Amino acid sequence: MSMDRPRLVVGISGASGFQYGLKALQLLRAVGGVEVHLVLSKGAEMTRAMETAITRDEVQALADVVHPVQNLGASISSGSFRTLGMLVAPCSMRSLAAMAQGLGDNLLTRAADVVLKERRRLVLMVREAPLNLAHLDNMRRVTEMGGVIFPPVPAFYAQPQTVDDIVTHSVARALDLFGIDVPALPRWDGGRMAHQGPAESPGSVGRCQ
C-alpha cells in the first residue's frame, strides 16, 4: 500500500465479549506500525459498561482515529480509502446479518461492506451460542463473499493460565490473518510450543488445526 503506515479498521459490535475488541486495540498498540481506525456500535457501548471497568475515553485512546457509528461519510465508508481490511471483535449476529445482506445502515456495517466489495480481508469474531439456521446461513453468505468467520474458540494446546491468555491467543490469531505478527503468540511447532510450556500429547495434534 502506498501509505506511511498500513491501516486497519477495528469494529466492536454489541455481542458479549467486549474484551476481544479491547485486546485487539491493546495488541495493535503494542505491536505498532499500524494506523488503527475504530468504530463502536451502540450495543458495544452497552457491553463495555456491563463487562469491563474501562471507560469510553480509555478505549478510544488506544486507536489512532475514532469514527462515530452514525457518520456514514467517514473515510472508512469509501473504497478509495485504502486499508488492510477490517476486524470486527466481537461481531454480533445483528451486525453479521446486516453484512450478509449488504445492509450498510451504520458505519460499522458500511465499512465491512466496503471491505467486501474491495476484496479486502474481513475477519468477524462472531460471538453467539447456540447458533440457529439464520446465523449459520449468514456466516455462509459472508464466507462466499470472501469474509472470514473466526469464532473466538479457546486453543488449549497453548496451556492458557488465565482468561486473558485465552482472549489474547484468539485475538492474536485473528490479527495473523492480516499479516500482523504478535511476537508473544504461542504457535504449534509439531510437538512443542514455540513460546510456552510443554506440548500436548501427539493424539491431540489433529485437534489443534
Side-chain angles (χ1 to χ4, degrees), residues 19 23 26 160-171:
Q19 293 85 346
K23 181 58 65 175
Q26 292 170 337
Q161 303 299 305
T162 66
V163 172
D164 186 68
D165 288 344
I166 294 172
V167 172
T168 298
H169 189 270
S170 289
V171 175

Side-chain angles (χ1 to χ4, degrees), residues 24-138:
L25 296 172
Q26 292 170 337
L27 291 177
L28 287 165
R29 173 58 60 92
V31 169
V34 178
E35 182 179 298
V36 178
H37 289 252
L38 174 65
V39 56
L40 295 93
S41 73
K42 293 180 180 179
E45 293 287 0
M46 294 176 61
T47 56
R48 174 194 58 76
M50 293 173 60
E51 297 181 351
T52 77
I54 195 167
T55 68
R56 180 179 183 179
D57 288 344
E58 288 171 327
V59 173
Q60 293 183 345
L62 293 169
D64 293 289
V65 183
V66 179
H67 301 279
V69 72
Q70 304 92 345
N71 183 16
L72 290 173
S75 57
I76 59 174
S77 70
S78 172
S80 65
F81 187 77
R82 300 177 68 186
T83 68
L84 295 173
M86 181 175 186
L87 170 68
V88 183
C91 180
S92 69
M93 293 301 101
R94 188 265 175 211
S95 292
L96 171 69
M99 296 170 197
Q101 302 301 321
L103 181 62
D105 59 341
N106 62 43
L107 184 59
L108 191 151
T109 54
R110 168 59 187 170
D113 187 61
V114 167
V115 168
L116 289 174
K117 79 180 182 69
E118 298 293 329
R119 305 300 191 267
R120 297 169 186 158
R121 179 58 56 89
L122 175 66
V123 179
L124 306 180
M125 298 189 76
V126 294
R127 174 63 183 79
E128 185 61 275
L131 299 168
N132 66 34
L133 184 58
H135 302 154
L136 294 170
D137 193 50
N138 287 332

